Amino acid sequence: MKTMSDSGPSPEIGQIVKIVKGRDRDQFSVIIKRVDDRFVYIADGDKRKVDRAKRKNMNHLKLIDHISPEVRHSFEETGKVTNGKLRFALKKFLEEHADLLKEGE
């Protein structure tokens, strides 16, 4: 039987994800908290603020191979992150990886 742990890399705080199922499908967000191997909390600092982070099943997310150094550093220093920092991290990521946006067209 295959478990979540051997199905690939585990999600990390500050990692960028693409939402593949649900109302926010095709949008990008940042992992701000791990619940267990199956669930994480995500936020984007804009429509989904840190204080109202969305609990998502990992099966509904596509992990992007990018961890925001700003978000990770903020968590290491203060144990939290601001909405502004999430917006900045996502904007910076999307500018550097504009090719990902054209993927679905």
Side-chain angles (χ1 to χ4, degrees), residues 14-27:
Q15 187 163 13
I16 308 287
V17 294
K18 183 175 184 179
I19 302 166
V20 292
K21 286 190 177 153
R23 185 185 310 167
D24 299 327
R25 180 179 28 240
D26 294 332
Q27 294 183 13

Side-chain angles (χ1 to χ4, degrees), residues 10-13 31-41 58:
S10 62
E12 304 221 13
I13 302 291
I31 295 175
I32 62 168
K33 182 181 177 187
R34 278 186 67 179
V35 179
D36 52 32
D37 284 344
R38 194 160 163 210
F39 291 98
V40 294
Y41 280 91
M58 286 304 300

Side-chain angles (χ1 to χ4, degrees), residues 28-82:
F28 290 89
S29 202
V30 182
I31 295 175
I32 62 168
K33 182 181 177 187
R34 278 186 67 179
V35 179
D36 52 32
D37 284 344
R38 194 160 163 210
F39 291 98
V40 294
Y41 280 91
I42 60 171
D44 64 8
D46 185 19
K47 290 188 278 309
R48 180 63 65 183
K49 306 277 196 222
V50 174
D51 59 345
R52 290 186 51 242
K54 176 75 176 161
R55 182 174 183 244
K56 286 293 270 187
N57 186 323
M58 286 304 300
N59 294 334
H60 298 177
L61 300 172
K62 176 182 173 192
L63 290 176
I64 305 293
D65 190 23
H66 180 84
I67 297 171
S68 166
E70 297 86 5
V71 174
R72 169 162 277 175
H73 185 70
S74 177
F75 271 106
E76 287 170 358
E77 278 198 343
T78 65
K80 60 185 185 211
V81 69
T82 63

